[in-house]
Amino acid sequence: MAQWTSAVGAAQLARQLQAQQQKPMGPGARRPPAYRALADGVRLLVLEGRVPVAARLPAERELALALSVSRTTVAAAYEALRAEGFLESRRGAGSWTAVPAGNPLPARGLEPLPPESLGSMIDLGCASLPAPEPWLTRAVQGALEELPPYAHTHGDYPAGLPALRQMIADRYTGRGIPTMPEQIMVTTGAMGAIDAICHLFAGRGERIAVESPSYANILQLMREAGARLVPVAMEEGIGGWDMNRWRQVLRDAAPRLAYVVADFHNPTGALADESQRRALVDAARSAGTVLVVDETMNELYLDADVEMPRRVCAFDPAGSTVLTVGSASKAFWAGMRIGWVRAAPDVIRSLVSARAYADMGTPVLEQLAINWLMRTGGWEEAVEFRRGQARENRDALVAAVRRELPEWEFQVPRGGLTLWVRTGGLSGSRLAVAGERVGVRVPSGPRFGVDGAFEGYVRLPFTVGGPVADEAAVRLAAAAELVGSGASAGAEAPRTFVA
């Protein structure tokens, strides 16, 4: 019986491997043998989670043709990987990826570090801040006071608590977007909202257009749902969407869904302007594409003079094109798993009906806590506090990276929680591996792309400040030195990898 659970095509693997070769060789550097470079490349893909464990690799002849190398080179690389524990084979079943005994499986998303690792590792993988106090405690206490009447019910509210649906609808109406509670479904975080939308609108094999780069965990969610992702390149820096490319993709690929982050995009920090928003809604409507707009960063503008454009759904008054996703996780706290969808009432009814076969509903106590915050003004106070935290962390991290790594390039976003950094020609995947060795966890650029794009980037979140930001930059510089010297690519490096 075969031991592999998925397969990687020769063309796909070749694209991912070739993207790693962008870094020029330094003066006097010795290029490793071709088989060794190939083995190192496959191993990095496995350690990064971009090629999953137990994935069947192409036959030697197929990969040799895709890479324009000899079959002997591929055979030698596979043999080296088998010797190191990163490949297993059996006659008649092929070869599939593995990890050596004692090595944890690589994280496929951007999971937070376990608490026991926080003392020795600076975590730049998760773009989330600690809970804002005293607002979290006050909200939970307020929710407990309001819980007794709900405790006498069955507790299942598939569309969400009526009071919270009304509160969220009123907040949209107050921003000039008339909304009824029947247009709101409360979900278990934004991920729960997007998962429900994908299952309703995009069956296996359906095309979904996504920004390139885009939020890594959403890309993985869509892949696992069986979607065919169609990347659309962003404008350079923080310029927002390239509308010529969007019009072409929507016209030619006719995707069922398109997923975008208009407000302080994750990971680039870009803020789409009103003309881009209007044009994208018009293009999606013309193509018959449903536009899923992630607004989780909407309230996290960090500079006082930022003028926020109208929300994307304001350009779709009939509600036939735009589905809006919001969340308390970024603006308030990731541990408060409350999200929501705003859509036309018939779409909400369909989402609620489908939910009966998923998670049934969102925890009542957490919904009461968010409703209490929004009703009492605590939400605005907590979000303002959160902006101050993120602003200070951003400024400290920017200064530290510019001081320790002056060759790294980035534009400073006016809001959000992330910095998208070009690493001066270094491999982001190798930086991620080297970072684990020196005590800093950083996600590489390819996590945010499709088929191995953005090898020359990393994402840095605004989650640390002050001396910790300084130390994080020092450790990133140490990782960059390891990569530049070639030390991160040695055969011993993966055995010190910590997921």
Side-chain angles (χ1 to χ4, degrees):
M1 184 176 183
Q3 301 297 306
W4 48 272
T5 57
S6 62
V8 181
Q12 177 189 357
L13 184 57
R15 285 195 301 271
Q16 291 177 292
L17 289 166
Q18 288 162 354
Q20 295 178 340
Q21 309 306 316
Q22 296 173 352
K23 175 180 172 293
M25 300 290 291
R30 298 178 61 187
R31 189 177 299 276
Y35 85 90
R36 183 71 261 170
L38 176 55
D40 289 343
V42 172
R43 187 183 60 226
L44 279 171
L45 292 175
V46 173
L47 290 174
E48 264 290 286
R50 290 186 285 130
V51 169
V53 174
R56 186 180 185 274
L57 294 186
E60 293 171 3
R61 188 184 303 277
E62 293 175 356
L63 186 57
L65 287 171
L67 290 172
S68 298
V69 299
S70 71
R71 183 177 176 182
T72 302
T73 297
V74 177
Y78 278 16
E79 183 57 37
L81 289 167
R82 277 189 288 270
E84 295 163 9
F86 286 91
L87 196 69
E88 296 181 10
S89 304
R90 194 173 66 216
R91 186 179 298 277
S95 300
W96 57 91
T97 56
V99 290
N103 280 49
L105 292 178
R108 295 184 68 188
L110 301 178
E111 297 83 357
L113 278 173
E116 61 269 20
S117 301
L118 294 177
S120 59
M121 185 76 68
I122 297 177
D123 186 9
L124 297 181
C126 190
S128 298
L129 290 161
E133 289 289 19
W135 296 278
L136 175 62
T137 298
R138 290 175 182 170
V140 173
Q141 291 171 342
L144 286 171
E145 293 174 2
E146 298 175 4
L147 181 61
Y150 295 94
H152 293 292
T153 73
H154 49 65
D156 287 334
Y157 295 89
L161 293 185
L164 181 56
R165 296 176 73 195
Q166 182 69 63
M167 179 63 66
I168 294 170
D170 289 346
R171 290 173 67 84
Y172 278 103
T173 300
R175 287 165 172 77
I177 306 167
T179 304
M180 304 179 294
E182 291 80 8
Q183 292 177 260
I184 302 295
M185 181 177 83
V186 180
T187 63
T188 307
M191 291 285 288
I194 294 168
D195 183 56
I197 291 168
C198 287
H199 279 88
L200 180 63
F201 285 93
R204 299 193 70 83
E206 291 276 8
R207 295 184 180 92
I208 301 180
V210 295
E211 296 152 326
S212 183
S214 186
Y215 178 37
N217 287 340
I218 293 296
L219 294 179
Q220 189 61 33
L221 181 156
M222 292 174 175
R223 290 187 188 102
E224 294 186 358
R228 298 165 60 189
L229 301 183
V230 182
V232 186
M234 300 282 288
E235 287 189 354
E236 190 66 25
I238 56 176
W241 300 323
D242 184 325
M243 285 312 306
N244 289 330
R245 287 175 171 157
W246 269 106
R247 291 187 189 95
Q248 181 180 356
V249 166
L250 294 178
R251 181 182 64 247
D252 296 345
R256 185 71 180 92
L257 290 179
Y259 168 76
V260 297
V261 184
D263 305 309
F264 309 116
H265 174 260
N266 185 353
T268 68
L271 177 65
D273 62 32
E274 285 207 1
S275 65
Q276 291 173 327
R277 295 170 189 235
R278 179 184 288 105
L280 186 56
V281 172
D282 290 344
R285 184 182 297 116
S286 298
T289 297
V290 176
L291 192 59
V292 182
V293 180
D294 186 333
E295 288 190 339
T296 54
M297 299 284 189
N298 176 266
E299 297 189 65
L300 289 177
Y301 50 87
L302 304 184
D303 297 329
D305 59 343
V306 173
E307 293 187 13
M308 290 298 295
R310 284 180 289 173
R311 299 191 178 198
V312 177
C313 57
F315 302 99
D316 181 41
S320 59
T321 299
V322 177
L323 307 183
T324 302
V325 172
S327 172
S329 297
K330 297 299 184 185
F332 186 71
W333 183 46
M336 192 68 75
R337 304 304 304 162
I338 299 294
W340 55 87
V341 180
R342 180 197 180 274
D346 62 317
V347 173
I348 294 297
R349 286 193 294 270
S350 296
L351 288 169
V352 171
S353 296
R355 192 175 195 180
Y357 307 101
D359 64 355
M360 296 293 292
T362 303
V364 169
L365 189 64
E366 293 184 16
Q367 291 188 72
L368 288 172
I370 294 298
N371 188 60
W372 185 92
L373 281 167
M374 290 180 172
R375 189 182 71 246
T376 62
W379 176 271
E380 283 71 22
E381 294 173 2
V383 171
E384 182 59 35
F385 175 77
R386 173 68 81 228
R387 291 190 197 108
Q389 283 183 306
R391 185 185 309 113
E392 290 179 6
N393 288 353
R394 177 197 64 181
D395 295 346
L397 186 63
V398 164
V401 172
R402 283 177 170 165
R403 181 178 64 250
E404 300 294 336
L405 292 151
E407 68 278 13
W408 286 17
E409 303 172 30
F410 54 85
Q411 287 184 254
V412 181
R414 310 290 305 280
L417 290 171
T418 57
L419 195 67
W420 186 237
V421 181
R422 192 193 303 268
T423 55
L426 298 178
S427 161
S429 298
R430 287 180 165 83
L431 280 166
V433 174
E436 299 280 353
R437 298 178 61 181
V438 299
V440 60
R441 184 171 182 257
V442 57
S444 66
R447 289 186 180 273
F448 304 88
V450 177
D451 283 342
F454 305 109
E455 183 61 49
Y457 289 82
V458 293
R459 189 196 73 171
L460 305 180
F462 309 145
T463 51
V464 296
V468 180
D470 293 336
E471 178 62 23
V474 169
R475 295 185 187 187
L476 285 171
E481 185 174 353
L482 282 175
V483 174
S485 68
S488 69
E492 76 285 354
R495 302 193 180 276
T496 61
F497 179 83
V498 180

